Each structure stands twice: as C-alpha cells, then as structure tokens.
Amino acid sequence: MRFVADLHIHSKYSRACSRDCDLEHLTWWARRKGITLVGTGDFTHPAWYDHLRENLVDAEPGLFRLRDDLDRAIDRRLPPSLASAPVRFALSVEISTIYKRGDRTRKVHHLVYLPDLDSAAEFNRRLGKIGNLGSDGRPILGLDSRDLLEITLECGGYLVPAHLWTPWFAVLGSKSGFDAVEDCYADLADHVFAVETGLSSDPGMNWRVSGLDKYRLVSNSDAHSPPMLGREATVFDTELDYFAVRRALETGVGHAGTLEFFPEEGKYHVDGHRKCDVRMEPAETRAHRGVCPECGKPLTVGVLSRVEELADRPEGFRPDGAAGFTSLVPLPEIVSELLGTGPKSKKVLAEVDKLTAAFGPELRILQDTPLADLSGHSELLGEAITRLRRGEVVRDAGYDGEYGVIKLFQPGELAKRVAAPALFEDRVAEPEAAKPKARRAPAPEAAPAAEPAAPTAPAPGAGLLAGLDPDQRAAAGVEGGPLLIIAGPGTGKTRTLTHRLAHLVVERGVPPEQCLAITFTRRAAEEMTERMAALAPAHAPAMTITTFHALGVLVLREQPDRVGLSRSFGIADPDQQLAVALSVAADEKAAKELLAAAHPAYKDALRAQDLVDFDDLITLPLALLEGDADLAAAYRDRWRWVSVDEYQDVDEQQNRLLRLLAPADGNLTAIGDPDQAIYRFRGADVGFFLRFREDFPAARTAHLTRNYRSSAPVVTGALQVVAPTTLVPGRELRPFGEHGDALIGVHHAASEQAEAVFVSRTVEQLLGGATFHAFDSGRVDSDGARDLGFSDFAVLYRTDRQSRAVVDALTASGMPFQKRSHDRLADRPGVERIVRELRFAAGETVLDRVRAVAGEDHTAYELLKPLAGDCGADFERFHSELALGVEVDTWDPRADRISLLTLHASKGLEFPVVFVVGCEDGLLPLRWPGADPAPDEVAEERRLLFVGMTRAQRHLFLSHSSGRPRSPFLNQLDGVFEQVGDARQARKKKETQFSLF
C-alpha cells in the first residue's frame, strides 16, 4: 500500500501553535491534503495525552484512528472527493534537549515514536522526573541526547533526529556543536536509522555527506497549525502499521521517498543577519569570515553553508539505492500567487475548496491530476502546475529565521496576461517581486480594515480615522451624544480618544475650544497633548486637555472671589497643611484630626492664608457649580464636547462634577475598563462606569478588543485570572502583533531572597549576560533575547516593603535600577527646601532658580528639572503643577534602568519583560492580620494582578516564595504557563533551566 505520512506535527499545547491543532481538525486537514498517516505530536503533554486516550481507538498494529462518532462528523463536512479516506495516527512527540557535554552547550531536537499508549505513559513517567512535561507540548529537558535515546529504546520506541540541519536546535546545526550523528548519540548511535532533513534542506543536499548514507531521509511538515500539514512528508509503500513503517526506515524496503519544500523556502537555507538586512551565500559568508558587515556580530550560518562545510561529495551526487524526492509548492501558495492575495485569505481558501471538491486532495492535484483537466478549469492554474512538475520555479532563499519565497511566475509576468481565466478573473494587483522579509515587520499599532466601522461613522479609506482598526474606528467615528468605550488593556485607548477628538475638530467642524479632555495624571495629559499636536496642529492649542485637579485649579483661578481667594492663591503641601491646622488646634494630634475631618476651622485658616489643599481642587469647583446653575450652564456651553480617560477611576465628587459639565444627552465620551478599577482606596467607584447607561440613557457603547501590547499567552493568562470576577460580561481581548510566544513563567522560590535572585539572574539571561561573571559562572550560555535593554524590565510588587529584597539582589548584581512610585513629587527629599527658597533666588526662569537653589542636591534637582523646564518663567504654574505632580510623572523614559514599582504605580505603563513578585495569599490578595478581605476587596485585588500582568509585552514572570501559600489567583492559569526554576531545582545547577528564557 502506497501512502503519505506526516509524522512531525504539534498539538494545541505546544507554543505558537494553533488552537485548532486537535484530532478533529488534523483529521479533516489530512483528508483535504491526501495524507494517510499523521503523527499525534506532543504525547508527553498530560492534557494532550488524556485527549489522545479519550478520542483515539486502536486501528492497525501500533496505529490509531479517530472515534467513529467524531470521524463521521468530519466526513459530513467534506465533499465526496475527500470524505472517508483512511486517516491513521502514530504516537509521536518532539523533545528538545539542552545540556552540556564536553564543556559545550548542546541543543538538539528529537522525534520519538512509540507503539501504544501504555508505552507512552511509561515514557512520560520517566521524563516527568527530569523536566516539566506540562509546560509545553514540545518539552525542554536538561537531558543528554544519548540518554533520551536510551529511555526511548527501553520504552519500546525509536528516535529520529529532528530537522537535522537547523542552526540552533539540531544534531548537525551550525550552533549545536556536532559534526556527525554518531557523536551525538555516542554508544547508542547504531539504534538511529533515520534522520529528518528539515524544511531548509532536501535529500539532494544531504546526499553530499557520505556519513548520512546509512540513514533513511524522512521529511515532515513540523506543522504548527492543521493547514500546514503535508508541506513536507514521507512516502511509504508498505503495510499500514507502526511496525511496517519502522522496518521500512530500518531497512529501506518500503521507504518510497519524500515530498519536499524547495529548500530555499526554508527559513534557515542561506546565511545572514536579519536585523541588518544581510543575506549571504556560503562563499560570501566565508569571505566575511562569518561576521555581519553591518554590525560586526556573527552571522546565523544557514543550512546550505553547514552542508558545504561537512560535504565530501560534489553537488548533484546521488548514492546508489537512495529513495527519490519530489519538490512541491503548497496549493494555497500557488493559488495565492495567481490571485495576488495572501495564502490564508478567504478568497484563496474558497478557491482551494473548489479545486479539492473537483479534483480530490491537494497532493493529488499537485502531482497526479492530468494537466489538461487543470487547464480546463483554469489556464493559469494548469500552467503553474506544469511549471511546478518541471521544477521551473523562481527561488528567493530564506535566512536567519525568515522563510524564503517560491514563485511559479517571473515578476510582472502575470500582469501581462491579457485574458485571465474565469477562476482568477478577480485577481488583485500583482505584488512586487518575491523577496523574503529582511526582518520581522513591527507590530502594527492598528490593523486597518475595509468595512465601515459603524452606521454613524464616516466611510473609512481616507481621513484621520483611516488608520484605526475596525473597533477603534467604530468608537472614534460615533457622532454626538453620550458614548461609553470599554477599552481593554493594550487596545489603543489613547490612540482612539485622540483620533476621535482630532476627527471632531478637523473633519466635523467642532470648534476646538469647545473640547475638554480629562485624564488622571499630568503625564497622561501631556501625552494626550503631544498626540493632539501631531494629529491636529492647528487646533490642539485651543483645546483644554487637563487632569481633574488641574481643571479645578483652572475654575478657581477664573472664579477666585466666589470662594474667598485671590487669583494667585497657593496650594498647600502636606507640611503647610499641618502647620495651618496647628494654628487652630491645641496639639499635633488634634491638628491631624482636623485635617482628616476637613474641619471648617482648618478650612477657614487655609483661606485666611489664601491657600487651598489638594481636596479643595475638586470640592470647591463642585460646590460653585452646584450652587450656581448659571455658572454651570456657562461652563457647559464653553465645553460642549467632554472626554474622560480612565473613567473607571472617577470618585463620587468627580462624577458629580462631570454630570454638571455634561447633561444626560450631552456629548460626553467616557473611556476605560472596569476590570482595571484598582483605586478604591482613593475613593474611586467603578459603579459609575457600570451605571453609565443609567446616568446617560441615550449612551451608545463601543468595545476595543484588539490587544496590540502583549503576547497571546500573556493576554490569555490575564483573562483567565480576571475571569471569575470580571465586570465586563463576555470579556473579549484578542492578541495582535508580533510579541513572541513565550509562556508565562511561574516561579516558586524557597524564600523572598531566593525569589529576588531569580529575578536578577533571569534579567541577566534575557539580556544575554550583564557581566563577564555571568558567562564564567555558567548562568548565561546564550545570546539572550534580541533588542532588550535595562529599561525594558520592570519588577512589580503589591507593597513597597517587598522591594527591599529585589533592591538587594539587583545591587549585588551591579545592574542599574530605579524605584518608581505614586509618591507626590512635593514629598521627595530636598524638594520642599528648593520650593521654599525659590522666591528668594535669582533667575529669569523657574529652571534657573531651581538650579541655583538645588546646589549639591542633584537628586532633587533632577526630579524637578523636567517640570521646571516646561514651566519656563511661569512660576505660578510651577507651584500649581508641583502640588499636583507625582513621582511617576517625572520619569524620563530615556533612563536605561530596571524599573521597580508597585502594581498600582504600574498602571498605564508597559514593558517588554515584567516580573510580578510576591504572588502569595496574604499579598495578592492583601490580607491584614486577623481580618479577611470582603469579596469586593478580593475582586479588586484580582483586578490589580490583571493590571500588572497586562503591563507585559513579551515576557511575564509570576513568582512566589515558600513563606506564604501561593496566590489563589494563579489557580486560574491554564495552558499558558510553565513552571520555571523550581525551588527544589535551585540547588542543582544541572537542572536549573534559566537559560531557557
């Protein structure tokens, strides 16, 4: 029996793999492709193993098939030309081993095959003692390749080295360190009888190395999603059972060859450095001595160079008796080229549906369907398949992780075809000549779409809203009236709000002076101001963009006489407030009681000194507007378009103020996320967000659901954590953009100090080593993640006390860091003295006087410098903003330091790498001794962790120590995390896997 086998695939439990990688989808696609035997992949993963046991039944010896009820359901979704074809499964898994041998780090991937589920269970039991099998469907083990082979043989299976030439993770790869398969498996090497060639090489390249003659060359797809099945495969002509396949690989009898990528399409075919747009053929690499001419760093040496390095035969040599191979281009890629649109587009998929319904499986169409039949359906398709079968293709080789591109037509050739066949009559404009991307495209800030966003929005395609994604455009394009925008983390909240405002003033004719935008921090207000200046430079200066407290200052400056103040009133800092209270109290204790109660005597004393305190900036304007309907009407007429950022954080008084400024049918836009409501301790009440439709009955609601900030595991994990108490019914948040596929790392440390050391060492790992000692000690044995600096890391904690251990560990490492907090700038050491003496200093500008007064207090000067520079000679503004400012507002993003800050202070920020330490019951949720938090308090603590997790872009680590029970919030994580650096492993250097991050 002749059949096609694809024995290297992955399940949905492997990193960067489609959720559709389940048995049902794999069976459907196997029939669609024309594949008879499929590897299960990932049988070491506990959940996937259970899924296999529940849904597979015995078929031929050593093989399985899908349960009858599931199989029948699949056939009902296939055309007759594809239905009922036999599909069998063989137990398979890819294992990554990373270990030291001969003072060198070896990184090798292997394919393991076993004949039955009981054997697989024993294999899993043994490997479970070595590594964490539940972290990834493709487990990473600190195990020698030779020892993995021994375990495989003892369990009755066989092993095939995976993608033999891949630079980073293969037996013969340029980075792995072995020059022969025998060297890798040592005394057990004779038990290896087949090798997988990988996508970047074909048998013809492997035939040049005589040392590989003893092995059968196999090919598989390494599919991470079902549609990728069969892009490479192996052909057998034997009985359909596990043992017959094994014998064919051992003896060569029944091994009928392979179906291949054109090797240039593989992403490591030639050499290069993607970051520098450098791609080289082997001779060029040798001329440059393996060094990138742009940056001077080592090139990634690809498969072609590595083959030439080990080759002892000329190109074109073929050993006697070697099985042949056929090079193919996947049918969707061919149709994609003909239609001029992406291979995953609906249009391409629909055309492939038609072709397979008419002619049968894709592999049959590519190899066996008569050309006349194909040409009768589409002349272009017939011509493309003719060229494919002749090997007449245009090749543009992949390098350094970028797939190459294979085309059937020369650039511009399709455009010259005058009469396109009916099948492809709606072909779009032909793309430029094929060329693999030199580097990964940056994650788009928003994904454009062609559909109108909402009935009330103008048609997209031009104007300020054209660059927004469909969700953003729908929200930004809503016409007047109340609008509630529910914006999840990383969904472009500020972008949407600023584009809405710019659209109103530039394209809708709204006078800019009628626009009021309110935020909660000065930093957020400045960011919004900068964005508006870029979007609407002629209109932005007339708009009012401010914070709630700064708005209060504005109203009081305009109406000072109504509250017994002068126009130049001052804002009392905490020391001044206490001094004023002491002037009307018997002692300090009584004074603090007056302050806490906002006692009238204290307030009168403040007014007598022409002062207000921080609370007055809201209460006084509110009292003014509530007591004077005409004044409130005047401000409503002045600001007819009101927008409020972070609406979930408003308190009762701020909400009353907003309702005075915006009537029930007014143009109020509120944007925020109730699942990020974390400031209840300040008086914020998320209930106002939840009751928005009640307060503003005419309100419309829009949702922003596309997360551009974080990786898929981070988004999924954060949603899992907040799900039990989410305030957004049907919460949806979808990851977009290129942020990697790193699972959330969950770390259990033996102590708080060990937890801090884990943070320090992991930072070094991801940086690729911060010191020579990091390499000498063996803590770092890789190049680390690309493009990371110290400022890309943040360590978050629930209480400031937790920072002490982290500070000690980072100090010991010598890595720079800075604590960040929500402390008021006026409270920072040295600031009070400078401000007090400012009026007596010489200088025309605020910055001149601050510099003169600061003297040797460089820390306080650096804190005040940004604000002082912004204020120019406006001393009144400096004093007002100083009273409103907080430390987080003074942060200079250019500072290249690791950030240490509380979870509350992290709101609104983002970092490529985030650690949340102290994920323990008692800290998250916070529990005071002798008291249990109320359910709504626990819910807010859960939201606080949600906020912290969604600060992460690429890597997220959640750690806890043995001093307290693990936070119950982590129990919600499922399928998106891996246990890293377990406390029990920390004592055994061999088992430590920090290098995996």
Side-chain angles (χ1 to χ4, degrees):
M1 176 182 178
R2 192 177 183 90
F3 60 90
V4 175
D6 187 351
L7 299 176
H8 181 181
I9 66 101
H10 291 283
S11 75
K12 60 185 177 182
Y13 294 102
S14 277
R15 300 181 189 183
C17 288
S18 168
R19 295 178 181 177
D20 289 342
C21 284
D22 54 37
L23 293 172
E24 292 92 331
H25 283 91
L26 290 169
T27 300
W28 191 96
W29 280 97
R31 287 189 173 129
R32 160 87 159 237
K33 298 287 184 176
I35 300 168
T36 300
L37 182 57
V38 182
T40 62
D42 304 351
F43 70 69
T44 54
H45 193 282
W48 185 243
Y49 178 86
D50 290 342
H51 183 72
L52 298 177
R53 185 173 284 279
E54 293 168 5
N55 294 285
L56 292 179
V57 295
D58 290 332
E60 296 78 8
L63 301 182
F64 303 84
R65 59 180 175 81
L66 201 58
R67 278 186 0 227
D68 287 338
D69 57 325
L70 299 176
D71 199 69
R72 286 193 297 269
I74 291 169
D75 274 349
R76 287 195 292 268
R77 295 186 286 114
L78 287 167
S81 60
L82 304 176
S84 301
V87 173
R88 299 293 185 261
F89 288 92
L91 295 175
S92 68
V93 64
E94 181 181 11
I95 306 286
S96 171
T97 57
I98 301 178
Y99 57 98
K100 288 287 187 72
R101 193 203 288 178
D103 295 325
R104 294 185 62 182
T105 299
R106 317 289 180 166
K107 301 179 181 181
V108 183
H109 284 201
H110 320 261
L111 300 173
V112 172
Y113 302 94
L114 290 169
D116 56 71
L117 288 165
D118 290 339
S119 298
E122 175 61 15
F123 184 83
N124 293 348
R125 185 188 67 81
R126 296 193 184 197
L127 263 57
K129 296 180 179 180
I130 299 168
N132 183 2
L133 301 185
S135 65
D136 188 11
R138 183 199 305 104
I140 303 172
L141 305 176
L143 181 68
D144 194 291
S145 298
R146 182 259 177 214
D147 297 333
L148 175 65
L149 175 56
E150 183 175 51
I151 295 173
T152 302
L153 296 173
E154 289 173 348
C155 292
Y158 66 96
L159 180 149
V160 175
H163 38 72
L164 187 65
W165 299 96
T166 301
W168 300 100
F169 298 104
V171 172
L172 300 182
S174 61
K175 304 289 185 179
S176 68
F178 293 106
D179 290 338
V181 175
E182 295 90 334
D183 294 341
C184 179
Y185 299 100
D187 61 311
L188 297 179
D190 289 342
H191 294 277
V192 176
F193 41 78
V195 294
E196 185 187 58
T197 59
L199 301 181
S200 294
S201 81
D202 61 15
M205 295 169 63
N206 287 264
W207 292 338
R208 297 185 60 193
V209 181
S210 62
L212 297 179
D213 287 354
K214 66 179 73 173
Y215 305 106
R216 246 56 61 198
L217 303 181
V218 300
S219 289
N220 302 290
S221 68
D222 193 5
H224 287 49
S225 64
M228 294 297 104
L229 281 177
R231 58 182 177 177
E232 288 204 342
T234 303
V235 182
F236 291 92
D237 191 1
T238 184
E239 296 299 318
L240 182 61
D241 69 65
Y242 169 91
F243 302 98
V245 168
R246 175 171 179 162
R247 283 193 301 270
L249 294 178
E250 287 177 312
T251 66
V253 178
H255 175 242
T258 57
L259 304 178
E260 301 282 335
F261 250 26
F262 285 89
E264 292 83 354
E265 192 168 2
K267 59 184 179 180
Y268 291 105
H269 184 69
V270 294
D271 314 323
H273 192 192
R274 176 174 48 183
K275 186 176 180 181
C276 295
D277 296 348
V278 172
R279 176 175 57 178
M280 292 186 178
E281 294 291 327
E284 296 175 282
T285 300
R286 291 191 295 271
H288 286 85
R289 299 183 179 180
V291 174
C292 174
E294 296 294 325
C295 68
K297 296 181 180 180
L299 295 166
T300 297
V301 177
V303 170
L304 185 59
S305 278
R306 183 64 172 158
V307 169
E308 289 197 359
E309 180 183 353
L310 299 182
D312 55 1
R313 290 167 173 164
E315 187 174 355
F317 182 90
R318 179 171 180 169
D320 292 337
F325 67 96
T326 302
S327 297
L328 300 174
V329 176
L331 184 60
E333 292 184 17
I334 296 174
V335 176
S336 170
E337 181 179 0
L338 298 177
L339 289 176
T341 187
K344 297 180 181 179
S345 68
K346 292 181 179 179
K347 186 180 297 184
V348 167
L349 295 178
E351 293 296 348
V352 176
D353 283 343
K354 297 176 184 177
L355 290 171
T356 53
F359 300 113
E362 292 181 29
L363 292 177
R364 181 190 302 169
I365 294 173
L366 295 175
Q367 300 178 90
D368 303 320
T369 301
L371 294 174
D373 292 351
L374 296 175
S375 296
H377 196 80
S378 162
E379 182 182 341
L380 279 178
L381 179 63
E383 175 64 18
I385 300 297
T386 298
R387 296 184 183 191
L388 174 65
R389 294 179 185 178
R390 293 174 180 167
E392 299 172 359
V393 298
V394 180
R395 314 176 192 215
D396 209 347
Y399 69 103
D400 196 18
E402 288 290 343
Y403 281 107
V405 178
I406 305 296
K407 297 287 187 180
L408 279 306
F409 295 88
Q410 295 289 339
E413 183 179 355
L414 285 173
K416 297 176 182 178
R417 298 270 179 156
V418 178
L423 177 61
F424 305 116
E425 63 186 2
D426 55 352
R427 185 180 181 279
V428 300
E430 183 176 355
E432 294 182 3
K435 180 180 181 181
K437 294 180 290 184
R439 66 186 73 192
R440 292 193 183 280
E445 190 172 2
E451 305 84 3
T456 57
L464 288 164
L465 304 186
L468 302 181
D469 72 28
D471 292 342
Q472 295 168 344
R473 192 161 58 244
V478 170
E479 294 178 345
L483 171 64
L484 181 68
I485 304 174
I486 301 173
T491 55
K493 174 170 60 66
T494 303
R495 175 179 173 82
T496 301
L497 188 56
T498 53
H499 276 73
R500 173 170 172 75
L501 289 170
H503 172 64
L504 289 172
V505 299
V506 175
E507 298 174 342
R508 286 251 176 93
V510 172
E513 58 273 9
Q514 292 184 4
C515 294
L516 169 66
I518 305 174
T519 70
F520 276 83
T521 67
R522 186 166 57 84
R523 180 180 58 81
E526 290 174 350
E527 179 185 358
M528 188 176 294
T529 299
E530 292 172 359
R531 294 201 188 193
M532 290 307 306
L535 290 169
H539 303 77
M543 304 173 73
T544 303
I545 303 174
T546 185
T547 66
F548 272 106
H549 289 89
L551 176 64
V553 172
L554 186 154
V555 173
L556 293 177
R557 296 277 185 217
E558 294 180 345
Q559 316 292 333
D561 54 320
R562 292 174 180 256
V563 291
L565 295 169
S566 72
R567 189 173 297 275
S568 59
F569 66 85
I571 303 172
D573 61 33
D575 288 340
Q576 288 176 301
Q577 294 171 28
L578 182 59
V580 169
L582 279 169
S583 69
V584 293
D587 52 36
E588 185 171 331
K589 179 180 178 182
K592 289 182 177 179
E593 290 175 351
L594 290 179
L595 283 173
H599 195 278
Y602 157 67
K603 294 294 187 180
D604 290 342
L606 272 179
R607 303 298 176 267
Q609 297 187 36
D610 200 26
L611 292 173
V612 297
D613 62 20
F614 204 64
D615 292 339
D616 288 332
L617 300 180
I618 301 296
T619 59
L620 290 179
L622 178 60
L624 274 178
L625 298 185
E626 287 183 333
D628 189 333
D630 292 338
L631 183 63
Y635 278 108
R636 281 198 299 272
D637 187 63
R638 174 176 173 180
W639 293 314
R640 298 185 180 185
W641 297 82
V642 180
S643 301
V644 185
D645 194 11
E646 304 289 5
Y647 187 69
Q648 76 278 351
D649 293 331
V650 300
D651 60 26
E652 187 269 339
Q653 291 185 330
Q654 291 165 344
N655 186 65
R656 284 162 55 194
L657 183 61
L658 285 173
R659 298 196 65 181
L660 287 167
L661 294 175
D665 60 349
N667 302 313
L668 172 63
T669 296
I671 189 169
D673 181 5
D675 279 342
Q676 297 185 69
I678 59 172
Y679 295 118
R680 178 180 172 183
F681 68 95
R682 293 181 179 174
D685 185 353
V686 69
F688 296 121
F689 192 108
L690 303 177
R691 295 192 298 271
F692 188 85
R693 294 293 297 270
E694 298 175 20
D695 294 339
F696 299 90
R700 281 167 285 188
T701 302
H703 292 262
L704 305 186
T705 62
R706 301 183 180 205
N707 178 289
Y708 298 98
R709 174 188 297 154
S710 304
S711 68
V714 169
V715 171
T716 303
L719 288 176
Q720 290 172 349
V721 165
V722 81
T725 56
T726 181
L727 297 174
V728 182
R731 167 109 261 180
E732 182 181 1
L733 197 62
R734 296 170 292 160
F736 277 69
E738 295 260 347
H739 296 294
D741 58 1
L743 294 179
I744 298 170
V746 177
H747 173 64
H748 174 212
S751 66
E752 190 176 40
Q753 289 71 32
E755 181 180 29
V757 170
F758 163 76
V759 171
S760 172
R761 291 190 175 181
T762 305
V763 170
E764 281 195 290
Q765 294 290 338
L766 290 170
L767 287 171
T771 64
F772 283 113
H773 176 67
F775 291 95
D776 296 339
S777 65
R779 288 207 307 266
V780 174
D781 56 11
S782 70
D783 295 332
R786 64 182 187 273
D787 300 330
L788 288 180
F790 289 113
S791 60
D792 295 324
F793 294 83
V795 185
L796 314 182
Y797 34 80
R798 178 63 179 85
T799 67
D800 188 68
R801 188 203 63 78
Q802 297 170 255
S803 67
R804 298 172 189 170
V806 180
V807 166
D808 291 343
L810 292 177
T811 299
S813 75
M815 291 186 288
F817 65 92
Q818 179 167 334
K819 289 181 63 178
R820 303 169 66 174
S821 71
H822 272 314
D823 296 339
R824 288 161 57 92
L825 180 55
D827 295 339
R828 304 303 291 171
V831 170
E832 179 190 356
R833 178 189 67 81
I834 293 174
V835 174
R836 185 173 60 247
E837 298 176 10
L838 205 61
R839 68 187 67 183
F840 307 112
E844 295 297 322
T845 67
V846 177
L847 185 58
D848 290 339
R849 296 192 186 186
V850 168
R851 185 185 298 112
V853 173
E856 296 300 314
D857 192 344
H858 301 295
T859 300
Y861 171 68
E862 290 299 325
L863 286 172
L864 288 169
K865 183 178 177 181
L867 174 61
D870 288 343
C871 291
D874 189 344
F875 290 89
E876 182 180 280
R877 177 188 167 197
F878 176 74
H879 286 287
S880 295
E881 296 212 22
L882 181 61
L884 303 176
V886 291
E887 168 124 353
V888 71
D889 283 351
T890 70
W891 181 256
D892 187 343
R894 297 170 298 180
D896 198 18
R897 302 173 183 175
I898 300 167
S899 299
L900 276 59
L901 63 166
T902 65
L903 284 162
H904 283 100
S906 72
K907 182 72 164 56
L909 304 175
E910 59 184 37
F911 302 89
V913 184
V914 170
F915 299 84
V916 181
V917 299
C919 295
E920 302 155 17
D921 197 358
L923 292 173
L924 277 170
L926 188 65
R927 298 181 188 272
W928 299 106
D932 286 329
D936 54 348
E937 294 173 330
V938 174
E940 180 157 323
E941 294 286 308
R942 188 182 290 276
R943 295 196 295 270
L944 186 59
L945 180 56
F946 175 71
V947 167
M949 293 174 70
T950 53
R951 302 309 95 196
Q953 296 172 306
R954 292 160 56 181
H955 297 279
L956 172 64
F957 298 93
L958 307 175
S959 60
H960 58 100
S961 65
S962 297
R964 299 182 181 88
R966 191 176 85 150
S967 170
F969 299 156
L970 300 190
N971 295 337
Q972 271 68 51
L973 293 176
D974 181 20
V976 295
F977 74 95
E978 58 182 336
Q979 197 76 29
V980 294
D982 190 275
R984 292 169 296 179
Q985 297 177 345
R987 299 186 185 92
K988 299 180 180 181
K989 181 178 176 182
K990 182 177 179 180
E991 296 180 4
T992 300
Q993 301 209 6
F994 291 126
S995 62
L996 308 186
F997 318 134

